[in-house]
Amino acid sequence: MSPLAAQGLRRLLAGVQAVANACWGGSCGAVRRPALWRGVSAPGSKLTPARSCWSLGWSCRLGGQGAAATGHPASSHTAVTSLGQMLTGQAVALLSLTWGAYQSLAVPRVSECGLSCSQGFTCKSRVNRNIFNSFCQQPPTSMSRSVLEALALSTAMKCSPPDGCALLLRVQASLTPHESLRGLEACSVSLDTQETQCQSVRIRRASRWPQGGQQLQVHFDCFEVGVAQSLYVTLRTVPHFCGIQLDQQYRVEDCSDEDVGRAVPDCFAGKLSYWVARSHKVVLVQVPEAPGGRDYYVRLCLKRFTCEEAGAPVRVTADGVSRRVSLPYSQELPCLCLEAWPATPDAVRIQACPFKDDTETLWDAVYYQPGSQALSWEPPCPVSGHVSLCWRPGPGAPCLELEHSGRPAHRRVRYSLVDAQPQLCLKFSTSLGVRLRCPFQQLRFPAWKMTVQPAPAPGRLRVAFFSPSPARFQVCLCQQGGTWPSACRQALQATAIPAASGDPTEEPVAAFVDIPEDEACAPGTCIQVRRTDAHFSAPQQLCDLPCAATQGTAA
């Protein structure tokens, strides 16, 4: 919310609170017309003086001839008087809780935490929980199930210079008094640590129970909470009547809140400065001095499900000569983060990721094992998307995905029996875009090749395959075209040659196949070969055979 809008909301709710306070004491008719009725509304909102009461759920008389619409002072006073007479029952509770919601826009300061009740009641606080109140009893027939009217939660600060501020949870409850009620109990459970805090209040009548359905307001202000803590708050009656309970989840402001980040010591680590020296592969961290003279820990970690340690934490002492530390790293990864926190139990940890934009390194963790012909990739950082094998028919051509090679990209991917060919690539399709890595393009992996030469039999060509290890091949004659896959026909299985029959001084011939020369040399005809003993293999294609010389080679 902008400062201007917040200011307008403060003035709007100031008028609401004035009416509520006056009606609480039974003097609605004496309420002066606050700024709300003088044409003040929240900037940027749709509230207008004539429609403000509709927006809050009140009943108003509006119209072109109505005084409330014209804003005439005397008529406005009459409208406010009528409005004030209607602010009873649940409307008062709603106004009070709305005021509490407004106060949470800027975290208020309190000098002392405590307990308060509305006029006409006296309250006595008890911090320790009564375990017997966990068991419920049936409510009396005269008690309404909605005796607990409302529950509102907000955050406050208790500051002790120069040590900074601590955060408190404010619990505001509204209930309808009943002669069987002796008090209330509010409990806060941390969803992170399961730590439970309970406060109970005993309510005594100053004279007698108020008549006319007046609500009792109770404010608890002494629940100590931490930055960004997730809470589950329960409100019960004392004694605990079955089925009469209010529950609400609440999250305490984090260090991104301006007030909290400036005043709470646990957030001071978020103000640290750092520089990256890429040439030396270190992150230099400057830890600021914090009120209270606290020590801090800083470290590098890999942010996955949790931030896994990537280096030993370094403690920066409050009385140290230097508050600068140097953290070495081995690889620039988008999930390699700097983490800092005060040297206190359960402290809030602040993180910054210096290499969050260095995403290209995610696709470099590709490994190939020539012995098992296994190709694998393991993401060093969390990635969501799809990975597959693909092959490029030629320079600049799109990478065509191989069948049955799609895998989720969020965990380790392993392909067995992969044919190491320069045209074979890994294709990553994630939220970061599409990336290709072709591991066999630059490095010289043991790969097979083929040659075309005259066969011993007249009128035929022999396609011979050379491979450092036994392999099986399939040969097709295809019609050359501008798109893939080409129209192929006449699949022929190559005849394997035993390894012992080859000359050990030369590259061994693994297999061969003879094809009719007139078919192979027809215009626009190509020889397409695929390795059949590998699970993943890209087709190789040889076109424009030099049939006049009857010799050609493809790798």
Side-chain angles (χ1 to χ4, degrees), residues 160-165 261-269 271 288-296 318 323 342 344:
S160 303
D163 296 334
C165 300
R262 182 175 56 248
V264 178
D266 283 350
C267 293
F268 294 159
K271 302 175 183 178
E289 295 184 8
R294 296 190 179 188
D295 293 357
Y296 277 87
R323 300 182 68 83
T344 55

Side-chain angles (χ1 to χ4, degrees), residues 291-480:
R294 296 190 179 188
D295 293 357
Y296 277 87
Y297 284 106
V298 292
R299 69 164 183 171
L300 291 176
C301 59
L302 291 174
K303 191 174 183 180
R304 296 190 175 105
F305 180 74
T306 60
C307 214
E308 302 173 5
E309 189 169 297
V314 178
R315 183 162 184 158
V316 182
T317 59
D319 54 356
V321 177
S322 174
R323 300 182 68 83
R324 177 177 294 185
V325 295
S326 177
L327 303 176
Y329 65 89
S330 59
Q331 190 177 10
E332 296 164 1
L333 296 171
C335 60
L336 182 63
C337 300
L338 174 65
E339 189 174 60
W341 68 97
T344 55
D346 300 325
V348 176
R349 301 193 175 198
I350 307 300
Q351 294 174 351
C353 303
F355 311 106
K356 61 182 180 181
D357 296 326
D358 295 318
T359 58
E360 288 300 318
T361 56
L362 296 176
W363 327 117
D364 294 337
V366 179
Y367 305 97
Y368 181 71
Q369 299 173 331
S372 61
Q373 302 180 30
L375 182 67
S376 62
W377 171 78
E378 185 170 3
C381 296
V383 177
S384 178
H386 179 83
V387 60
S388 62
L389 290 173
C390 65
W391 64 286
R392 283 175 164 169
C399 204
L400 306 178
E401 186 171 329
L402 297 184
E403 292 183 354
H404 311 299
S405 67
R407 305 285 189 274
H410 63 269
R411 59 176 180 268
R412 183 173 183 262
V413 174
R414 185 178 186 274
Y415 298 98
S416 60
L417 293 179
V418 176
D419 189 14
Q421 297 171 277
Q423 297 90 345
L424 195 66
C425 304
L426 279 167
K427 182 178 181 180
F428 303 95
S429 303
T430 69
S431 58
L432 300 172
V434 178
R435 300 291 189 276
L436 290 178
R437 288 295 183 270
C438 305
F440 312 114
Q441 194 171 35
Q442 302 296 334
L443 302 179
R444 292 186 173 274
F445 285 89
W448 58 270
K449 65 180 181 179
M450 67 178 177
T451 64
V452 178
Q453 55 191 356
R460 304 184 74 86
L461 294 179
R462 171 162 292 186
V463 182
F465 302 94
F466 299 86
S467 174
S469 59
R472 294 192 300 272
F473 300 90
Q474 183 186 73
V475 179
C476 296
L477 294 179
C478 307
Q479 191 66 31
Q480 186 177 14

Side-chain angles (χ1 to χ4, degrees), residues 7 38-39 82-83 87 102 126 180 229 245 253 274 279 286 293 335 353 407 412 451 492 511 523 528 535 542 547:
Q7 181 182 10
R38 295 198 295 269
S82 301
L83 171 65
L87 289 177
Y102 151 72
R126 293 181 179 179
S180 298
Q229 195 171 20
Q245 178 174 310
E253 290 82 350
Y274 65 86
S279 58
Q286 180 70 39
C335 60
C353 303
R407 305 285 189 274
R412 183 173 183 262
T451 64
L492 304 172
Q528 182 173 292
H535 292 167
L542 181 63
C547 293

Side-chain angles (χ1 to χ4, degrees), residues 97-164:
L97 297 180
T98 303
W99 178 252
Y102 151 72
Q103 290 177 323
S104 66
L105 294 176
V107 180
R109 269 67 168 172
V110 295
S111 57
E112 294 293 337
C113 68
L115 174 74
S116 62
C117 289
S118 55
Q119 185 178 1
F121 297 86
T122 58
C123 299
K124 184 177 181 181
S125 176
R126 293 181 179 179
V127 177
N128 295 330
R129 183 183 185 187
N130 181 5
I131 189 63
F132 294 103
N133 203 53
S134 300
F135 305 97
C136 67
Q137 56 183 277
Q138 292 301 319
T141 56
S142 60
M143 178 179 290
S144 170
R145 292 281 178 172
S146 60
V147 63
L148 296 181
E149 298 285 353
L151 171 65
L153 307 175
S154 60
T155 308
M157 288 186 189
K158 181 181 178 183
C159 303
S160 303
D163 296 334

